[in-house]
Every structure is written in structure tokens, then in C-alpha cells.
Amino acid sequence: MEKATVPSIHMEKLLFTTEETLPENYFSYKDNLIGSLLAIFGHLIISIGLNLQKYSHVRLAGSKDPRSYFKTKIWWLGLLLMILGEIAVFSSYAFAPLSLIVPLSAVSLIASSIIGIIFIKEKWKPKEFLRRYILSFIGCGLAVVGTYLLITFGPNSHEKMTGENIVKHLVSWPFLLYMLMEILAFCFLLYYYKQKNANYLLILLTLVALLGSTTVITVKALAGMIIVSIQGTMQLGYPIFYIMFVCMVATAVAQASFLAQASQLYDSALIASVNYIMSTAFAISAGAVFYIDFRNEDVLHLCMFALGCLIAFLGVFLITRNRKKAKAFEPYVAITSMPGVINMHDNGSTIQPEFGSSFSYGALQSNDSLSEIYTPATLPVVSEEASPGQAYKVLEHNKSE
């Protein structure tokens, strides 16, 4: 009987230890999956909302509808989807590590590229098919592969975002040293930007990335404390919650300001790719220092995660590389666009309609009278063969000549 009971005792111990150890790893990977799916869903919904708003603007611009864009249902639907997507992305920070959630913003660029082709019906010439469509789809494929590697080999560190834990991370010497370096770099770049008029794209987007690394730290802290409060342990009474909220709002507003300044100087596609790469790199480093995302990770997972980031960066670069650049306004009127002027390229079709008492071309306006502009010149005709007393008729030049 003793021999029969020994194996059963060992079996019970084995089952007990298995049930005790597996759920912890299981739930940590489950939280990673929930956070990743929330982030992907949120960025996808945000992209759809932005394209709906763009569609509303384009449709109003091409019609005679006098309504403003904010009075259309499509625009409000896009705004509602954007708010829903932002809530999903905000919630994803409470489940998965910061270094895993931040690179998943590439999903919005992938979705925008595909929706721009299908929904907005952006048309490209057949000769540009290989240069635009193929490279864009290759970029989407690379971004998807990079996203898969990020989710598969991403960090698996989880910690309850209580007020005590956040304060403990906030006063740790690695983070204090990191923040000191960030503040010095930010002040140095801001001085050169403001005082030396160094309006370089890298300087502007580095300022955005430095602010963004602080924003994502505060977002994860707020999302985690809200989820812990919902679970039953109230965290909203800690002063650190409101400090993080103020920092989040301030850094987000400053980021929007610098991005608006960059968009006035450089192409939006270039800004999108460079900003994604730099903001993701700075945010991952901030998560690694503040939340210690990569603790207990082996070399294989670190290398594969870095490879996923590089592949996603390359995919985003290819997606934004071949977007059609908007033509800048040229402040002059070409001779071929003037009514009534015939040239060698005229095929008989009317280029512009006849104007009234004033004309405008783009942003150029003039109140000069067209009768004064196009008054035919009267030229005297002198002929040696004609007699002195003979009257000569002055030919009038009409606009068709």
C-alpha cells in the first residue's frame, strides 16, 4: 500500500505545481495579446475616422454644398471613430508593456495607405504603378511582418500600476539620470531652433520625440492606475495621478505645436515616416528605463524584437516614400491661361471662361478693368504709294487675332 501511495503523492504534487506556475505565464501573455489587439483595433479605427473626415472635406470641396464640414454627418462619424480609437489605444497601455504598444502605431499608416487607395480612390498614372503601388504594398507587407515579430518577441514584464510603484520608478536613479539627459538635450535643441533659426526637420522631430517619450510614460501610468481602480483598489487619491495627467496634457499640446510647425516647412509624408521612427525609438528607450520592460528577457527575444522594429521602420518608410507630393502654388499667371491669347499650343478649346469686371487666379486678384487691359492698340498706317489726301482706315484688332 505504501508503494502504491508514493506515486500518487508525486502526481498530486506535479499537478499542483503545474497549476500554480502555468497560469502566471499564461495570463502575462494573455495580457500582452489583449493590449496588442486593443492597440491594433484603436489605430485601425483612428485611420478610418481620419479618412472619413478627409472624404467629407473632399466631397464638400467638389460640390456646391454651402454647408461647413462640421455640419456633415460623415465628419462627425469620423470624429466619433477617432475618439473610440483613442480610448482603445489608451486602454491598451494598461495591459501590455509600453515598448510593445508604441511600435504598433504603424498599423495606422498601413490602414491609411490601403484606405487611401480603395476608399478615397486616389488615382495614379499607369506608368507610376511600379513606383507607387508595388513599393507601397511591399512596405505594408514589411510593416505587417515587423508587427508580428514585435508581438511575438515583445517584452513580457507586467506590474500593477499602483501609486507606490509609479513613485518608486519616478525617483529611481536610472530614470532621474535619463530625464536629466532628456532635459539637457531638449533645452539645447530648443535654443538652436529658437535663437539660431535652425529649422531642420531632425531638430523639430527630435523635440517631438523627446516630448513623446514623456507622454507615453504618463499615459501608461494613468491607464494602469485607472484599471487598478476599476478592479477595486482605488488609486485616484494619489497626487501622482494628477501630476501625470498634467504632464500628459502639457507634453501632448507641445508635440502638436512642433508638428504643426514642421508641417508648414516639410512634406507630410516625410514627417510621418521620420516621426514614427524617432518617436518609437525614444519611447522604447523610455519604457526600458522607467518601467524596466526588458528585465529577464534573453538575447534571442531582444534581437528578434529589434529586428521587428527595423522591419517595421523600413515598411513605414516605403509606405510614405512614394506618396504624391502636393504642388506648391506658383504666384504668376501663365500666358497660356490668359483668355483671348492664341499661341502655338492652342487647340481651339477654351481654357478659362470670359471674365467680368475683375478676374482672379488662385490667390491673385485684380480689380483692373478688362476693357483697359484688352483695349486694342490703334496703329497709324503710312504708305508711300498713297496720295496725301486719301484717308486711311485704321484696322481694329479683336481678341481672336
Side-chain angles (χ1 to χ4, degrees), residues 85-94 218-220 222-224 226 248:
E86 291 291 350
I87 293 174
V89 173
F90 180 83
S91 303
S92 66
Y93 284 93
T218 57
V219 167
K220 181 171 177 58
L222 291 172
I226 291 174
M248 180 189 70

Side-chain angles (χ1 to χ4, degrees), residues 60-307:
L60 283 177
S63 64
K64 297 181 180 180
D65 193 345
R67 292 182 301 169
S68 302
Y69 62 89
F70 54 85
K71 293 183 179 180
T72 59
K73 296 180 180 180
I74 297 178
W75 189 87
W76 281 104
L77 178 61
L79 180 63
L80 181 63
L81 290 177
M82 287 178 60
I83 295 174
L84 180 62
E86 291 291 350
I87 293 174
V89 173
F90 180 83
S91 303
S92 66
Y93 284 93
F95 294 94
L98 180 129
S99 301
L100 174 60
I101 296 300
V102 171
L104 296 180
S105 59
V107 174
S108 62
L109 293 172
I110 299 172
S112 294
S113 178
I114 297 174
I115 294 173
I117 296 171
I118 299 174
F119 184 71
I120 304 298
K121 297 181 181 179
E122 295 178 350
K123 296 180 180 179
W124 290 325
K125 295 180 181 179
K127 293 181 180 179
E128 297 179 349
F129 180 83
L130 292 177
R131 188 169 63 89
R132 293 186 181 273
Y133 275 101
I134 296 300
L135 287 181
S136 296
F137 281 113
I138 290 175
C140 291
L142 290 175
V144 170
V145 172
T147 302
Y148 172 78
L149 291 177
L150 291 172
I151 296 175
T152 305
F153 297 97
N156 194 33
S157 60
H158 294 270
E159 181 182 17
K160 279 192 174 182
M161 290 293 104
T162 60
E164 294 87 351
N165 290 336
I166 293 173
V167 172
K168 180 182 67 176
H169 289 303
L170 194 62
V171 299
S172 62
W173 69 265
F175 179 70
L176 293 177
L177 181 61
Y178 176 81
M179 282 302 299
L180 177 62
M181 295 175 61
E182 272 206 350
I183 292 172
L184 292 176
F186 183 84
C187 294
F188 178 78
L189 293 174
L190 187 62
Y191 170 78
Y192 267 86
Y193 173 63
K194 293 293 185 180
Q195 300 297 327
K196 303 296 183 180
N197 294 324
N199 299 326
Y200 299 109
L201 180 64
L202 286 179
I203 291 180
L204 284 169
L205 295 187
T206 303
L207 291 171
V208 173
L210 289 172
L211 291 168
S213 63
T214 305
T215 304
V216 293
I217 288 175
T218 57
V219 167
K220 181 171 177 58
L222 291 172
M225 293 179 75
I226 291 174
I227 292 298
V228 173
S229 299
I230 294 174
Q231 292 175 351
T233 306
M234 183 58 63
Q235 302 294 318
L236 304 184
Y238 288 92
I240 191 64
F241 179 86
Y242 303 98
I243 294 174
M244 288 290 183
F245 178 78
V246 172
C247 291
M248 180 189 70
V249 174
T251 53
V253 171
Q255 282 184 81
S257 176
F258 284 117
L259 282 175
Q261 296 174 36
S263 63
Q264 295 176 359
L265 300 173
Y266 299 96
D267 180 59
S268 60
L270 180 62
I271 293 173
S273 60
V274 178
N275 183 53
Y276 170 77
I277 294 172
M278 297 190 67
S279 296
T280 301
F282 277 90
I284 290 174
S285 62
V289 174
F290 188 86
Y291 294 107
I292 320 176
D293 284 343
F294 295 97
R295 61 174 177 266
N296 301 326
E297 296 290 339
D298 54 15
V299 178
L300 176 62
H301 280 74
L302 292 176
C303 292
M304 294 302 294
F305 182 81
L307 179 62

